Amino acid sequence: MSKSAEIIIEGKKYDLPVIEGTEGEKALDISKLRAQSGYITLDYGFKNTGSTTSKITFLNGEEGILRYRGYSIEDLCDKSNFLEVAYLLIYGKLPTAEEYDQWIYDIKMHTMVHEDIKRILEGFPSNAHPMGVLSSLITSLTAFYPESLDPNRSIDGVKLSIVRLLAKLPTMAAWAYKNEVGHPVNYPDNTLDYVSNFLKMMFALPAEKHEVDPVISNALDTLLILHADHEQNCSTSTVRMVGSSHASLYTSISAGVNALWGPLHGGANQAVIEMLDNIKKDGGDVEKYIKKAKDKNDPFRLMGFGHRVYKNFDPRAKIIKKHADEVLAKLGVEDPVLEIAKKLEETALKDEYFIERKLFPNVDFYSGIIYRAMGIPTEMFTVMFAMGRLPGWISQWLEMRENNEPIGRPRQIYTGENVRDYVEMSKR
Ligand code: SDX
């Protein structure tokens, strides 16, 4: 295959090097195009533009493939656990038994947060959305660990920040929920595994004995694995962009939390449940909502459907849908919106509008149904997404910094006014 492509601009030929990835993906390297031709490329939403090369996650949207460091998510969901997957994403290999034990120990030793974080938390009104609380508390870590602000910090120094983030995010997330419901916060219990510890911090009450249901903790561990990374999505690109200015890992991750919050991205899991509840309230008329989703004059979108990359079934949605049936059955939970979701999916996948646009259920379509069955409130759904995506954001930030990638600074095409003289107020 030719190692370059030729383009002709205003009669002049230019050779663009061709980059080929491990799985055969190809790109034109345009890094010298402006210097040679004066032209830039324009691609709203970067739908056709690569921002980097990466060894972390491979996804194939046409075939519905997702792999972390070469391992399929199907295999990892069957055989691994979330913290092992976090190690794999961040350090590029599965840990030995010794490395794994040290990793678990290190994370357990950092699950507590500074008591002053409780005072910051108490400053938020109970109606504060947990995603806003979480991004604020993550940013506050720069105050408690000012060494994290050193732009020239060694990668070893960053490793402590990595452990602190993985260890403290569940504590801060659970505390954000307790602040919302007006319950006292629970301190971490290091006798429990990572996910069970989070669930206990979320739901334990001082007045009652609390046992974590292994059905719930196992299902949540799988959901966190499925959300762990997804190459250059909106929030990951945000983490890379902020980190490229040599801002700290904490502030980069906080920026990623805020990008994920949007309803077109991670916020979709909350939007899906709100949509399903509305359809149920409106009599469960699925056909009516499919029609609304297709109507260009109607702002209604079928949340949890469609994806920038997957033009086939999102492999994560397949696994989550299977888990939804199993978890609800094991928990003895009857949620009528599960049937509405399945009917929506069945109807949409037979409809020309969705088929033509290759719109399939994505990771957010069924996840909220499982979260709700676990007792997790709707406004915490995107926090669960952030907890899952944290190791992916960290691994991508680390890769960008280890590769000494330049500060992100896209160009533009100016379409505003030509130069004009200032006009005195009296003459306007
Ligand atoms: C995530 O990037 C990632 O990897 C993200 C993520 C991750 O793990 O990080 O996978 C997580 O964010 C999943 C996506 C969650 N968002 C939603 O479920 C919101 C609903 N989906 C859409 O808004 C939309 O599908 C996006 C935002 C996900 C993707 O949008 P694109 O790729 O920019 O596609 P588009 O908006 O240009 O849509 C193409 C066409 C349009 O119709 P036409 O103009 O061609 O006539 O499809 C239509 C859209 O109107 N369309 C939908 C639709 N999604 C797209 N129509 C109805 N309902 C929908 N959900």
Side-chain angles (χ1 to χ4, degrees), residues 311-322:
K311 299 309 172 192
N312 194 324
F313 226 99
D314 182 332
R316 302 167 296 178
K318 265 189 200 159
I319 297 172
I320 294 174
K321 181 181 175 185
K322 188 167 81 60

Side-chain angles (χ1 to χ4, degrees), residues 23-315:
E23 296 286 343
E25 301 157 297
K26 297 178 184 63
L28 298 176
D29 179 345
I30 57 167
S31 48
K32 295 190 172 52
L33 180 65
R34 186 171 185 276
Q36 290 170 353
S37 72
Y39 278 61
I40 64 168
T41 57
L42 181 61
D43 183 20
Y44 290 106
F46 310 113
K47 293 191 176 188
N48 306 284
T49 301
S51 58
T52 190
T53 55
S54 177
K55 299 181 188 309
I56 299 170
T57 290
F58 170 70
L59 62 92
N60 177 316
E62 283 65 36
E63 293 171 38
I65 294 170
L66 177 56
R67 298 188 200 124
Y68 300 151
R69 300 284 188 181
Y71 297 93
S72 77
I73 52 159
E74 292 80 4
D75 235 8
L76 292 170
C77 285
D78 280 348
K79 298 167 188 156
S80 185
N81 66 62
F82 176 62
L83 280 188
E84 184 178 71
V85 168
Y87 186 99
L88 169 67
L89 283 167
I90 294 167
Y91 294 110
K93 69 179 188 72
L94 290 170
T96 61
E98 196 187 340
E99 287 164 337
Y100 180 75
D101 292 344
Q102 184 63 52
W103 180 241
I104 297 299
Y105 175 80
D106 290 347
I107 288 171
K108 281 185 186 282
M109 289 305 111
H110 289 275
T111 50
M112 296 274 288
V113 295
H114 194 289
E115 277 295 291
D116 282 351
I117 284 195
K118 216 192 287 183
R119 276 177 270 291
I120 297 171
L121 184 71
E122 284 155 4
F124 283 98
S126 58
N127 67 336
H129 194 289
M131 283 294 274
V133 175
L134 183 64
S135 68
S136 306
L137 295 185
I138 291 172
T139 301
S140 79
L141 293 176
T142 56
F144 298 102
Y145 308 106
E147 70 282 7
S148 65
L149 293 171
D150 174 2
N152 304 311
R153 202 168 178 215
S154 70
I155 292 299
D156 265 351
V158 171
K159 281 180 183 168
L160 179 53
S161 294
I162 289 171
V163 165
R164 281 179 169 143
L165 267 170
L166 285 165
K168 297 179 194 304
L169 192 141
T171 306
M172 296 190 288
W175 285 19
Y177 169 62
K178 287 303 198 185
N179 183 61
E180 186 191 349
V181 293
H183 293 171
V185 297
N186 291 308
Y187 288 100
D189 173 354
N190 287 339
T191 64
L192 299 173
D193 66 72
Y194 190 78
V195 172
S196 303
N197 180 29
F198 166 71
L199 289 167
K200 183 176 176 187
M201 288 191 284
M202 275 285 286
F203 297 120
L205 292 169
E208 307 280 341
K209 194 169 165 351
H210 186 84
E211 286 296 318
V212 176
D213 183 337
V215 170
I216 296 180
S217 53
N218 291 334
L220 185 50
D221 194 275
T222 300
L223 283 169
L224 295 177
I225 290 174
L226 289 169
H227 286 80
D229 194 50
H230 214 240
E231 55 134 281
Q232 306 310 317
N233 58 83
C234 176
S235 54
T236 300
S237 300
T238 302
V239 169
R240 278 179 169 258
M241 178 64 89
V242 172
S244 73
S245 73
H246 287 196
S248 82
L249 177 62
Y250 294 142
T251 49
S252 305
I253 297 296
S254 177
V257 170
N258 288 309
L260 186 73
W261 196 354
L264 292 189
H265 190 14
N269 57 16
Q270 175 175 341
V272 167
I273 278 291
E274 288 162 354
M275 171 187 77
L276 294 172
D277 282 340
N278 287 338
I279 294 173
K280 177 171 153 274
K281 256 185 247 140
D282 190 18
D285 181 352
V286 162
E287 298 291 344
K288 171 181 170 187
Y289 284 87
I290 292 287
K291 202 156 161 280
K292 281 170 64 70
K294 292 159 56 176
D295 178 356
K296 289 300 166 206
N297 300 317
D298 189 326
F300 175 79
R301 274 205 163 190
L302 197 51
M303 299 312 276
F305 249 76
H307 197 276
R308 174 63 57 78
V309 178
Y310 287 124
K311 299 309 172 192
N312 194 324
F313 226 99
D314 182 332

